[in-house]
Amino acid sequence: MVDKADRSVLRALVAIAVVASAMTACSNSQDQEPSTAVQATIVDDAGMADEADGANWLAFGRTYSEQRFSPLTQVDTDTVNNLKVDWYLDLPDDRGLVSTPLVVDGILYFVGSMNRVRAVDATNGTLLWEYDPKVFENTTNDMRAGWEHNRGIGIWQDKVFVATWDGRLNALNRQTGEEVWSVRTTPEGSALYITGAPKVFKGKVLIGNGGTENGPTRGYVTAYDADTGEEAWRFYIVPGNPADGFENDAMRMAAETWTGEWWKFGGGGNAWHGFTYDAELDQLYIGTGNGSPWNRKIRSPGGGDNLFLSSIVALDPDTGEYLWHYQTTPGETWDFNSNMDIVLADLEIDGENVKAILHAPKNGFFYVIDRTDGRLLSAEKFAETTWATHVDVETGRPVEVAGARYEEGPAEISPTFFGAHSWHAMSYNPVTGLAYIPTINLTSTYTDQHIDVESWEPAAFRKMHSGVGTRNLTTVEGKAPGALQAFDPVTGEPAWEIPMPGLWNAGTLTTAGNLLFQGRATGEFVAYDAGSGDELWRFDAGLGISAPPITYAVDGRQYIAVLVGFGGAAAGIPTGVEVSHGWAYGAQMRRLMAFSLAGNADVPPQPPAGRPEPLAVPDFEVDEQLAQAGRAIYALCGYCHGGGAVSAGMAPDLRASPIMTSFEAVAEITRDGSRKDRGMPRYAWLQDEHILAIQHYIRDRANQALEQQ
Ligand code: CA
């Protein structure tokens, strides 16, 4: 005899078993019964540590390990050629899309432009709710440039967490999208901003911030109670003024490695991306940022390692207390931060099982670190790296090349401030034993010869607080600008590498189906054999991809989902590189796309890539001096309108805009804020001569482009 309560438990168990078998049986049926009896997933420490649950994608890196490795096998090397679009959601009001969606029990959550969060049915893309944190209303005027992007959200139990550009951490009701609580994590009006995903563990939500280049900043991370938003702890990454007293012993220790009056320059270390909670060892790892300013001669004139810049710092997740650190770039002076992913993996090295951290930061070395104590196991180059010959494993320190610190004049250095690897996700496949890194192959010349380092003053708000100039940014000789690299952390060598025509390629996903997925700056979404790197499938999304793909399963069907919308720094920062793919503002549709083996959705084609034609205005006579003055002011505009006034699609290409020929029209938009509702910031401080200068700069750029045709 089975009583009623037992029978319902039994039914639920049977339903789970049916779903589990359907997943392996590769059912492609279009009209499956919804699996209503499956119990709701509880998003907590156990859930986010569960590597075996392939149906959900609960945490930023799928699970706490941040491997972005899925156990799902319905789509594998044999079936992937049948992968087709299952559904898509058009996002006409979005631009740069860079985030990792999360999936719980058939509902997909993601953050898009201007930090708007949406929940959709993961089987068909139907919008369930939308939350707008109204970043525009909360951001101070000059901070509004480049406010487009956010890399992800967090979930804990019944809440979704999003951090906003203007420095708030907001908790939403997971069912309705309604705001439950909101806290400020950065002082109002400060140079700090947030583009990163909150990380959730043990009932706490962790968030850091960026802004090292915006002025004197001192980085920190803060943990909040997930239920209430109450601050649990804060950890500063660099020491403040010793006269004010140190917050803790770690800051006292760190201050020993600084010289001069570093606190006047901020110090930096801002942690804006890589945070990993290690459920096994109950430790939290923070990837820390570069110096503020970049140039150590200014920041710390007597030298020193400048802890905890460019490091992985292990903290107690309950208290924020310092446990250990490993510094990848002691005395950082090139913007070589260590903010990149911190991936946890169990490796066998020389016959020993090692609990490892895998880390491929900007500086070009791939680090394998023993995460029990922070000891370096290996550090080998994964890209052209000219600032150091190698890393001495005994001391854990890089052996630098003489002159690399531009101490004897200009120094050509690889990697660059873009890094050999940026925030684009690295994945790790424990079956192939390979880490998959979107790499960048650039070189540039660093020099401070034009700067009086002894009297350099902290830069004004958002005026490039670096204290060093970089020029001649170009591709490493003999290399493609970017590559997809498979790196073997045990041998310390790349297994294979696929060159890419663009430098700014998206993060990676790998699966137990022996697959590797990546979107490209050039618009293709590609699947590879994870072992050999052989290309197996590709889909042309018709628009550059910057976001990493995810995979999940609902009712026995495996989906691969990705946001399509070229974005991030290289889509905007005025450097003159990576703006050439022809993704035009308002032309190609931004989309959330999901693929499956049963997919049969028809996707409207994208308009072809192409740049807006610069406008010829023969009777607008460019004044060279004004154009020169306008170039400096345009630096703010370039965050969205593109380097050198060449738009990568984040905002209109001003060279093609008739508006730019009218002083009144430009003044109305820039100074009076007539297009605030469309995301164009208002710059109330602009004087008439500033507006005129911008006009002349843009017209000069338009004429130059026309001449080159
Ligand atoms: Ca930086």
Side-chain angles (χ1 to χ4, degrees):
M1 267 304 278
V2 191
D3 72 14
K4 210 175 158 192
D6 282 338
R7 270 202 302 274
S8 70
V9 170
L10 205 63
R11 244 193 338 261
L13 286 171
V14 167
I16 290 166
V18 166
V19 168
S21 69
M23 272 161 59
T24 47
C26 177
S27 166
N28 292 349
S29 159
Q30 294 283 329
D31 46 9
Q32 287 165 342
E33 290 288 307
S35 55
T36 45
V38 177
Q39 283 176 346
T41 299
I42 296 167
V43 187
D44 60 5
D45 290 311
M48 285 191 273
D50 184 1
E51 296 290 341
D53 170 21
N56 292 313
W57 186 292
L58 301 182
F60 184 72
R62 204 185 82 83
T63 59
Y64 279 143
S65 73
E66 299 269 333
Q67 289 182 356
R68 292 174 182 262
F69 168 77
S70 167
L72 295 181
T73 56
Q74 187 175 91
V75 182
D76 66 9
T77 49
D78 290 330
T79 60
V80 70
N81 58 337
N82 294 320
L83 199 59
K84 295 195 177 62
V85 179
D86 193 293
W87 57 264
Y88 64 92
L89 175 65
D90 282 348
L91 303 165
D93 296 330
D94 286 58
R95 291 161 296 269
L97 295 168
V98 299
S99 77
T100 301
L102 303 183
V103 176
V104 190
D105 297 337
I107 297 176
L108 183 150
Y109 307 83
F110 72 101
V111 59
S113 289
M114 309 300 276
N115 307 171
R116 288 187 295 261
V117 183
R118 298 177 181 94
V120 302
D121 184 326
T123 65
N124 56 31
T126 303
L127 187 66
L128 303 175
W129 56 254
E130 182 169 350
Y131 165 78
D132 183 354
K134 303 219 182 312
V135 175
F136 191 88
E137 288 169 19
N138 286 279
T139 306
T140 52
N141 266 333
D142 287 348
M143 279 299 286
R144 286 179 175 167
W147 56 354
E148 172 75 18
H149 299 105
N150 190 284
R151 289 183 301 277
I153 50 177
I155 293 182
W156 179 262
Q157 296 175 352
D158 59 349
K159 293 184 186 68
V160 175
F161 304 93
V162 62
T164 62
W165 174 262
D166 55 277
R168 287 168 295 153
L169 177 66
N170 296 346
L172 319 177
N173 179 315
R174 188 151 72 86
Q175 308 302 321
T176 63
E178 277 168 286
E179 195 174 293
V180 181
W181 55 254
S182 174
V183 292
R184 277 219 135 267
T185 81
T186 62
E188 212 153 344
S190 81
L192 302 172
Y193 59 82
I194 301 175
T195 53
K199 297 289 177 76
V200 200
F201 49 85
K202 302 181 90 175
K204 292 185 175 63
V205 196
L206 182 85
I207 194 68
N209 49 65
T212 321
E213 284 80 25
N214 279 354
T217 59
R218 183 185 178 208
Y220 58 85
V221 292
T222 318
Y224 298 88
D225 184 293
D227 285 331
T228 63
E230 200 182 322
E231 182 175 320
W233 53 259
R234 175 166 288 183
F235 181 81
Y236 283 95
I237 290 154
V238 296
N241 185 347
D244 298 336
F246 296 113
E247 287 87 357
N248 49 48
D249 286 342
M251 286 298 104
R252 196 166 292 113
M253 173 178 89
E256 300 288 318
T257 66
W258 291 75
T259 53
E261 297 177 308
W262 70 86
W263 57 92
K264 292 184 174 170
F265 302 95
N270 298 68
W272 50 264
H273 182 72
F275 312 136
T276 297
Y277 172 62
D278 181 343
E280 214 177 334
L281 302 182
D282 195 29
Q283 298 186 135
L284 177 67
Y285 311 115
I286 308 292
T288 70
N290 52 277
S292 169
W294 297 357
N295 192 340
R296 188 184 65 172
K297 285 178 225 169
I298 295 170
R299 193 178 70 225
S300 185
D305 287 353
N306 294 182
L307 294 174
F308 296 102
L309 295 184
S310 306
S311 303
I312 291 176
V313 182
L315 302 176
D316 181 318
D318 299 314
T319 62
E321 259 174 287
Y322 166 90
L323 299 174
W324 55 257
H325 77 276
Y326 175 78
Q327 189 173 41
T328 58
T329 312
E332 193 286 307
T333 199
W334 306 273
D335 188 21
F336 285 168
N337 60 53
S338 239
N339 294 110
M340 288 69 230
D341 325 88
I342 299 167
V343 178
L344 311 184
D346 292 337
L347 301 182
E348 197 187 306
I349 300 176
D350 298 333
E352 275 184 48
N353 292 320
V354 176
K355 303 235 160 284
I357 279 175
L358 311 181
H359 184 54
K362 273 187 174 181
N363 75 12
F365 287 95
F366 189 104
Y367 294 86
V368 182
I369 295 163
D370 183 335
R371 62 185 205 258
T372 59
D373 56 6
R375 191 169 51 94
L376 178 70
L377 298 173
S378 71
E380 298 293 340
K381 291 178 179 181
F382 68 94
E384 175 91 345
T385 301
T386 63
W387 66 279
T389 57
H390 64 287
V391 177
D392 182 331
V393 177
E394 289 304 310
T395 63
R397 298 178 69 88
V399 179
E400 291 181 15
V401 171
R405 291 181 175 270
Y406 41 92
E407 64 270 40
E408 292 148 20
E412 194 189 331
I413 299 292
S414 290
T416 67
F417 54 89
F418 271 117
H421 170 220
S422 190
W423 49 265
H424 301 102
M426 170 173 87
S427 60
Y428 171 73
N429 187 320
V431 183
T432 63
L434 299 174
Y436 305 100
I437 320 164
T439 59
I440 300 171
N441 301 310
L442 293 179
T443 179
S444 82
T445 300
Y446 288 72
T447 181
D448 59 10
Q449 280 187 323
H450 59 299
I451 290 165
D452 182 356
V453 295
E454 268 147 44
S455 65
W456 192 81
E457 295 280 329
F461 194 64
R462 295 211 85 182
K463 287 282 192 299
M464 200 55 192
H465 183 69
S466 63
V468 54
T470 56
R471 59 182 195 224
N472 305 334
L473 186 71
T474 178
T475 303
V476 172
E477 208 184 316
K479 286 274 194 177
L484 170 59
Q485 188 179 100
F487 191 91
D488 185 332
V490 175
T491 64
E493 283 174 14
W496 46 262
E497 182 170 308
I498 298 166
M500 301 276 164
L503 72 95
W504 202 241
N505 299 293
T508 59
L509 158 72
T510 185
T511 74
N514 193 32
L515 291 174
L516 170 66
F517 290 90
Q518 188 197 27
R520 294 179 178 178
T522 44
E524 301 89 4
F525 185 37
V526 185
Y528 304 89
D529 180 304
S532 66
D534 290 340
E535 183 176 320
L536 301 175
W537 172 87
R538 75 160 61 190
F539 173 83
D540 185 0
L543 173 62
I545 299 171
S546 295
I550 64 159
T551 186
Y552 59 92
V554 189
D555 295 337
R557 185 180 298 185
Q558 182 184 353
Y559 298 84
I560 318 282
V562 68
L563 283 157
V564 178
F566 193 55
I573 281 183
T575 57
V577 298
E578 195 74 353
V579 285
S580 58
H581 301 301
W583 312 128
Y585 177 77
Q588 290 85 16
M589 179 59 78
R590 277 60 180 164
R591 285 191 173 119
L592 170 61
M593 304 193 80
F595 301 80
S596 80
L597 298 180
N600 62 357
D602 283 323
V603 188
Q606 295 276 27
R611 281 218 199 106
E613 183 76 7
L615 202 65
V617 189
D619 49 353
F620 189 110
E621 217 166 286
V622 171
D623 178 303
E624 270 183 34
Q625 265 189 320
L626 275 172
Q628 191 59 31
R631 188 168 169 238
I633 302 167
Y634 179 82
L636 264 181
C637 318
Y639 283 102
C640 301
H641 291 279
V646 183
S647 170
M650 306 287 302
D653 193 306
L654 299 175
R655 302 168 309 160
S657 171
I659 289 167
M660 296 310 297
T661 62
S662 159
F663 176 88
E664 288 73 25
V666 177
E668 203 180 285
I669 292 169
T670 57
R671 189 164 58 194
D672 306 339
S674 66
R675 294 199 178 172
K676 277 199 300 189
D677 58 337
R678 285 159 67 177
M680 172 62 210
R682 179 187 179 199
Y683 297 106
W685 52 263
L686 286 171
Q687 306 287 319
D688 284 1
E689 66 258 35
H690 298 140
I691 292 165
L692 207 59
I694 294 170
Q695 270 189 288
H696 281 257
Y697 172 68
I698 297 296
R699 287 311 312 157
D700 189 42
R701 297 295 303 172
N703 291 344
Q704 282 182 30
L706 287 164
E707 274 166 33
Q708 280 164 18
Q709 284 180 349

